Amino acid sequence: MGEKLSGLSVKELQCLENQLEMSLRAVRKTKGNLIHQENLELCEKVKHIHQENMELYKKLCVARNVNQTAASALIPNGFSTSEDSNELIHLQLSQPESQSPAGISHIPFLMNVKTSNRSSRS
């Protein structure tokens, strides 16, 4: 490779060196531009994926709210359920505060008095 360079003068070698340096700079600049462009495209993809993620999260929150609302609508008389299956609920019979229509006030109803967690009793 270097055999053909032996006959060149110092000035010709310096000129060749300058040409090589300019070519190398052009290659590095092109490579830098390509990497920069690819980086911009990847940033846009990240931005788009983040936006999709936020939209899916919002849909999930809406779906959870709908499910919770539907579940609470199925539970009569305002009773609620707990996520903790170890929770104890103590119920007590009591008389209603006001007279019900159709004269059925003599029927007692259940009232939630106290809740506690089984794990705290262990």
Side-chain angles (χ1 to χ4, degrees):
M1 182 166 178
E3 297 97 23
K4 294 182 183 178
L5 300 176
S6 62
L8 297 176
S9 69
V10 173
K11 191 167 186 121
E12 291 173 324
L13 288 172
Q14 287 175 338
C15 185
L16 182 61
E17 181 182 19
N18 286 339
Q19 288 176 350
L20 287 171
E21 285 178 1
M22 287 177 28
S23 295
L24 186 58
R25 254 187 253 131
V27 168
R28 286 181 176 156
K29 185 177 179 180
T30 302
K31 181 180 176 183
N33 288 339
L34 289 173
I35 290 173
H36 179 69
Q37 185 64 35
E38 186 177 359
N39 190 28
L40 291 175
E41 291 171 5
L42 290 173
C43 285
E44 284 298 315
K45 284 183 181 180
V46 166
K47 189 176 173 182
H48 179 71
I49 289 171
H50 179 71
Q51 186 177 5
E52 280 184 25
N53 190 24
M54 292 303 294
E55 290 171 7
L56 289 172
Y57 179 75
K58 287 177 185 177
K59 286 180 182 179
L60 177 65
C61 288
V62 168
R64 282 184 180 168
N65 287 339
V66 167
N67 287 341
Q68 287 175 351
T69 304
S72 65
L74 295 176
I75 301 171
N77 300 326
F79 287 107
S80 64
T81 59
S82 171
E83 296 294 324
D84 185 4
S85 61
N86 293 331
E87 185 174 308
L88 293 176
I89 299 175
H90 300 279
L91 300 175
Q92 168 183 329
L93 290 176
S94 65
Q95 293 295 325
E97 292 179 14
S98 63
Q99 188 83 356
S100 298
I104 56 169
S105 63
H106 65 280
I107 301 173
F109 65 94
L110 294 177
M111 183 173 162
N112 189 351
V113 175
K114 178 181 170 185
T115 62
S116 62
N117 196 328
R118 280 189 191 164
S119 61
S120 64
R121 291 183 164 208
S122 301

